[in-house]
Amino acid sequence: MPAETNEVKNTIKGADAIDEAIAQGIDFDGSPIPTAKLELYSTVMGLEGNRQRSGVSNTMRSRIVRIGAKHIPQPELDKMLVEAGFAPLKDKEIAFFYGGK
């Protein structure tokens, strides 16, 4: 395994680590990411980059819900959203992110 792969894995965390690995085309275990996967990712991210946004607050809330649901119980996340001035969790978000738990 190349030294620089270990260095990236150990010093960069979260989404930044994923972005760095994708940019290098190397997975955390040191194996190359197949070209077809990288090309599809680039295509979809290019489409997303060109999409009209509804506003920063809406995007922030979406990210908070999507990521927060992985780490924070539903009643607590709902309370945190409201306290921060965001809309509470919608029924469809609760069903999607918490329904299978």
Side-chain angles (χ1 to χ4, degrees), residues 58-94:
N58 288 338
T59 300
M60 287 173 60
R61 185 190 176 284
S62 293
R63 290 178 180 177
I64 290 166
V65 171
R66 181 173 34 93
I67 296 167
K70 297 176 187 176
H71 306 284
I72 304 169
Q74 181 262 315
E76 187 177 341
L77 180 58
D78 197 47
K79 182 177 184 257
M80 293 167 77
L81 286 166
V82 171
E83 287 175 352
F86 289 109
L89 290 168
K90 300 171 189 167
D91 289 341
K92 67 179 186 176
E93 292 169 330
I94 294 168

Side-chain angles (χ1 to χ4, degrees), residues 34-52:
T35 302
K37 288 182 179 181
L38 289 169
E39 288 174 355
L40 176 57
Y41 181 83
S42 292
T43 298
V44 172
M45 292 302 107
L47 294 169
E48 179 65 9
N50 291 326
R51 182 174 63 87
Q52 179 67 37

Side-chain angles (χ1 to χ4, degrees), residues 4-5 8-9 12 14-34 38 41:
E4 49 288 348
T5 302
V8 168
K9 181 179 177 184
I12 301 175
D16 292 340
I18 299 296
D19 292 340
E20 183 66 28
I22 291 167
Q24 291 182 13
I26 300 172
D27 207 329
F28 291 145
D29 65 3
S31 64
I33 300 170
L38 289 169
Y41 181 83

